Structure formats: structure tokens, C-alpha cells
């Protein structure tokens, strides 16, 4: 099967953020099986924040992620199961367990300036015989020369692919092009791109990345990813087919599973709302969306104000506890203003 572009389907990992990590074994079995039958080459399965993410800080999983990984491996005949790991949240112990259960790809994710913390995990994944991807998150936050250096570090640790990850859905197409072009010129391994649709640019940005030579891209069926979701896989397959770029994925099967399996399980349709738009506008990690909405409700605030303030403070993944801190501080300030007005 010829694939000019290799798509990794991330709804069973990134989509976990959108449903507060509530996947059931039955849902994962049905979706992974259908994706496999549609000939999707890689299916990522983990807690939204990667292996070991189930916690009060990031959100507790309804089902143990290893049970979900094992289930997905069991129902797939050709697709390889990928796992995400953020060093510090997940450890080599969890990586080994995922490999034992049959995961074949490890995506090691760090903030865009912190590739150095991935050395051990990339090496461990390679030793376990896994295809290994370096995943540079919040790529909009670093100048291009820094991104290039971080990608070179991941390559030197043994990564097979390095991804530019637009975690906030904040990048504009020309910024994606600059980044992918710079990586293509300075590293010798494949370059990938992961988008979020908060500014309605996921498809345009993915195509911009491909135009500059990215050969690995991510999609989520029915846009089931954090924030406004990722590049919609079934749409991407159709667009690439129109461009004469083979993905090896069966378009009708992809459309059918989106419509018949994924859409009915969504608590609400994935769309760009005022809050998810604010993520892209303010450059905030997409997985902060539900946390910020909950904090807004608790403290009687507008989630957009919290997100704008988090963007101003340049809060990054792993600092989820800051969401409540910032909201509490904003609520205190609001009360102080009211009290001042009553004096
Ligand atoms: C842990 C994050 O959700 C990883 C990711 O998909 C992103 O940064 O985007
Ligand atoms: Mn993502």
C-alpha cells in the first residue's frame, strides 16, 4: 500500500481531553477496529496527557489506559498502536508496559524548549524496538532557531521523526511553513505536523506543512481532539486524495465510522466556540479548555478572561494547577473592585 503521507489518528488520545478522559473499553474497541478496517496506519491510544496522565492534576481516566491499549492492539490487524509519553508525567516503566502490550510507536512529547528531557525516554523506546517520534509541543512559543536546535537534539537521541506540534492551534500557515522548512533543511529524519483547529486553520496548516515536506501528519476523526479538535481525518483523506497524494486510507470507511461510531458518542459536536477560539487567539494549550471552563464556573468568571491571562503569563502544559490559581486570583481582584465601589 503506497502512502506518500502517513497519518496518525489521534482521537483515542487527543480526543480524550474533549471527553474528560471518559473512554470506555467498548468505545475504543469499536473505533480502533473501524480505523484499522479503514486502513489507518497508526492509532494513538493513551490518556490525553499521555501515559501516566490519569491524576487529579490532568483528569482521572474512566478506564485504565493499559486496558485501552491492550483492547486496541487486540482488534487491529494492520494498524500499529502508538502511545504518547510526556517525560515526568509518564516514565520508562509505563513505556515498557505499553510495549509489552503491543504498542509499536512511542511519541515522546516535551515543551518546545525542553527536548533535553526526552533523551532517556527516546533511547528507551528505541531499545524496546518502537518507532520513536519526538513531539515538540507549543511550537508557536519558540523562535525558529530554537525549534531547530531542539529537533536536532531529539534526532541525536535517536528519534525517527520529529513533529512540529501546534498545541494551541495558534500558528498561521506561513509560520507553519517557516518551521517545517527550517527543520527539513537541518535534520535528516522525517518531519511531522500536529494541528489544532482553534483558529480554523488545522487543514490549511497541515497542507502548508505537507507543501514544505512534512510526511507525517495527525488527524482526529470528526475533529475529536482537545480545544476545537485537530485536522479532521476523514476530510484530510478526501483533500489529499483530491490533490493526488495517497494516504492508503479508505475514504468511505473513514466517513462511515466518523458518522456512525464517533458522532453519536460525542457529548456535543466538535466546533469552534468562543472559548476554543480564544485558545488559538491567546496561544494557550488546547487541553486547558475544560479546566478553564470549570474554573470559570467555580469562580463566576468568563473562561475567555482566564485563557487570555494564561496566555499572557505564557503558562505551558504541565502547569494545569495554574488555571485554578489564576482564576482564584482574578476572582479576588473582582471582589476587591466591588468592595472598593461600595465604600
Ligand atoms: C499532551 C498534549 O495534549 C499533546 C498534544 O496533543 C499537543 O500538545 O497538542
Ligand atoms: Mn494535540
Amino acid at each position: 500500500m503506497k502512502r506518500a503521507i502517513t497519518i496518525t489518528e489521534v482521537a483515542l488520545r487527543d480526543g480524550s481531553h474533549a471527553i474528560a478522559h471518559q473512554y470506555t473499553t467498548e468505545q475504543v474497541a469499536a473505533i480502533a477496529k473501524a480505523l484499522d478496517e479503514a486502513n489507518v496506519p497508526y492509532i494513538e491510544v493513551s490518556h490525553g496527557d499521555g501515559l501516566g496522565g490519569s491524576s487529579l492534576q490532568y483528569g482521572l481516566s474512566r478506564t485504565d489506559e493499559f486496558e485501552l491499549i491492550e483492547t486496541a492492539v487486540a482488534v487491529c490487524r494492520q494498524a500499529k498502536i502508538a502511545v504518547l509519553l510526556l517525560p515526568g508525567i509518564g516514565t520508562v516503566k509505563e513505556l515498557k508496559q505499553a510495549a509489552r502490550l503491543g504498542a509499536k510507536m512511542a511519541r515522546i512529547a516535551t515543551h518546545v524548549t525542553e527536548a533535553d528531557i526526552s533523551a532517556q525516554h527516546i533511547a528507551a523506546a528505541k531499545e524496546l524496538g518502537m518507532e520513536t517520534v519526538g513531539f515538540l509541543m507549543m511550537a508557536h512559543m519558540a523562535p525558529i532557531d530554537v525549534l531547530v536546535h531542539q529537533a536536532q537534539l531529539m534526532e541525536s537521541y535517536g528519534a525517527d521523526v520529529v513533529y512540529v506540534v501546534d498545541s494551541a492551534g495558534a500558528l498561521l500557515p506561513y509560520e507553519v511553513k517557516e518551521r517545517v522548512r527550517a527543520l527539513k533543511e537541518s535534520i535528516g529524519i522525517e518531519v511531522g505536523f500536529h494541528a489544532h483547529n482553534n483558529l480554523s486553520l488545522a487543514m490549511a496548516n497541515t497542507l502548508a506543512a505537507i507543501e514544505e515536506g512534512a510526511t507525517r501528519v495527525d488527524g482526529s476523526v470528526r475533529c475529536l481532539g482537545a480545544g476545537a479538535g485537530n485536522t479532521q481525518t476523514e476530510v484530510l483523506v478526501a483533500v489529499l486524495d483530491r490533490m493526488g497524494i495517497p494516504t492508503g486510507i479508505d475514504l468511505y470507511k473513514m466517513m462511515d465510522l466518523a458518522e456512525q461510531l464517533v458522532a453519536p458518542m460525542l457529548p456535543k459536536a466538535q466546533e469552534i466556540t468562543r472559548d476554543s477560539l480564544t485558545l488559538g487567539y491567546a496561544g494557550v494549550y488546547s487541553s486547558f479548555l475544560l479546566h478553564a471552563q470549570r474554573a470559570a464556573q467555580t469562580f463566576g468568571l468568563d473562561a475567555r478572561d482566564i485563557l487570555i491571562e494564561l496566555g499572557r503569563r505564557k503558562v505551558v502544559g504541565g502547569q494545569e494547577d495554574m488555571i485554578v490559581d489564576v482564576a482564584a486570583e482574578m476572582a479576588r481582584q473582582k471582589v476587591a473592585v466591588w468592595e472598593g465601589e461600595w465604600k
Side-chain angles (χ1 to χ4, degrees):
M1 174 57 61
K2 193 174 165 329
R3 301 184 199 268
I5 294 293
T6 304
I7 295 181
T8 296
E9 166 58 50
V10 298
L12 296 180
R13 196 279 306 163
D14 212 314
S16 178
H17 292 297
I19 59 163
H21 316 290
Q22 294 302 297
Y23 275 123
T24 63
T25 311
E26 292 72 28
Q27 286 170 335
V28 169
I31 296 171
K33 184 169 186 293
L35 289 168
D36 180 65
E37 285 167 1
N39 213 29
V40 170
Y42 293 97
I43 304 169
E44 190 168 62
V45 182
S46 315
H47 181 279
D49 291 281
L51 297 177
S54 181
S55 58
L56 290 178
Q57 170 91 340
Y58 302 109
L60 293 167
S61 298
R62 174 170 177 172
T63 315
D64 187 315
E65 62 190 336
F66 292 112
E67 195 179 316
L68 300 181
I69 292 165
E70 200 170 10
T71 300
V73 169
V75 297
C76 288
R77 277 176 306 167
Q78 60 76 34
K80 295 190 171 102
I81 300 305
V83 292
L84 185 79
L85 182 143
L86 279 65
I89 296 179
T91 65
V92 170
K93 182 168 163 250
E94 276 103 27
L95 194 59
K96 283 186 177 160
Q97 190 168 352
R100 240 191 333 269
L101 294 175
K104 297 282 185 240
M105 180 196 269
R107 306 212 300 174
I108 311 298
T110 74
H111 183 65
V112 64
T113 54
E114 290 174 15
D116 58 341
I117 63 166
S118 68
Q120 210 190 355
H121 303 77
I122 289 177
K126 293 300 293 177
E127 264 169 43
L128 289 164
M130 301 171 95
E131 191 175 349
T132 305
V133 174
F135 208 66
L136 287 168
M137 301 186 292
M138 298 292 271
H140 72 286
M141 286 182 80
I144 293 171
D145 58 327
V146 173
L147 175 77
V148 164
H149 177 59
Q150 300 295 306
Q152 285 170 334
L153 287 179
M154 285 179 156
E155 180 178 25
S156 74
Y157 305 148
D160 302 300
V161 184
V162 171
Y163 261 67
V164 176
V165 180
D166 185 16
S167 312
L171 288 172
L172 304 177
Y174 82 91
E175 296 172 311
V176 173
K177 281 180 162 241
E178 287 171 350
R179 282 163 174 74
V180 173
R181 191 182 311 137
L183 293 197
K184 286 297 291 179
E185 283 166 2
S186 40
I187 59 176
I189 53 177
E190 274 187 272
V191 175
F193 181 69
H194 172 101
H196 279 272
N197 202 36
N198 304 326
L199 293 178
S200 196
L201 289 171
M203 180 64 68
N205 284 348
T206 301
L207 296 181
I210 290 172
E211 224 172 285
E212 292 298 332
T215 44
R216 304 273 186 138
V217 294
D218 289 359
S220 61
V221 55
R222 205 74 180 196
C223 247
L224 182 48
N230 311 95
T231 313
Q232 194 166 342
T233 310
E234 62 278 24
V235 183
L236 180 60
V237 171
V239 170
L240 292 179
D241 186 54
R242 284 280 311 275
M243 294 169 73
I245 299 175
T247 62
I249 296 175
D250 184 313
L251 177 59
Y252 263 35
K253 285 186 178 166
M254 210 49 230
M255 290 170 164
D256 287 345
L257 82 96
E259 200 93 355
Q260 292 162 0
L261 275 180
V262 178
M265 62 150 275
L266 293 180
K268 52 184 168 29
Q270 280 292 87
E271 57 184 352
I272 303 172
T273 61
R274 60 188 176 181
D275 293 343
S276 54
L277 165 57
T278 307
L279 294 166
Y281 174 68
V284 174
Y285 207 49
S286 295
S287 58
F288 282 10
L289 180 63
L290 299 193
H291 298 278
Q293 287 174 333
R294 275 194 294 266
Q297 210 166 14
T298 307
F299 292 98
L301 298 167
D302 185 326
R304 289 171 294 182
D305 292 335
I306 302 174
L307 293 169
I308 296 279
E309 181 57 19
L310 290 167
R312 199 187 62 76
R313 295 190 191 196
K314 301 197 186 309
V315 172
V316 302
Q319 294 183 298
E320 276 75 357
D321 48 331
M322 285 290 291
I323 301 170
V324 172
D325 282 3
V326 164
E329 197 181 315
M330 290 173 77
R332 268 196 306 275
Q333 278 164 7
K334 211 164 131 182
V335 169
V337 171
W338 286 339
E339 284 174 351
E341 282 169 0
W342 279 94
K343 273 187 194 154

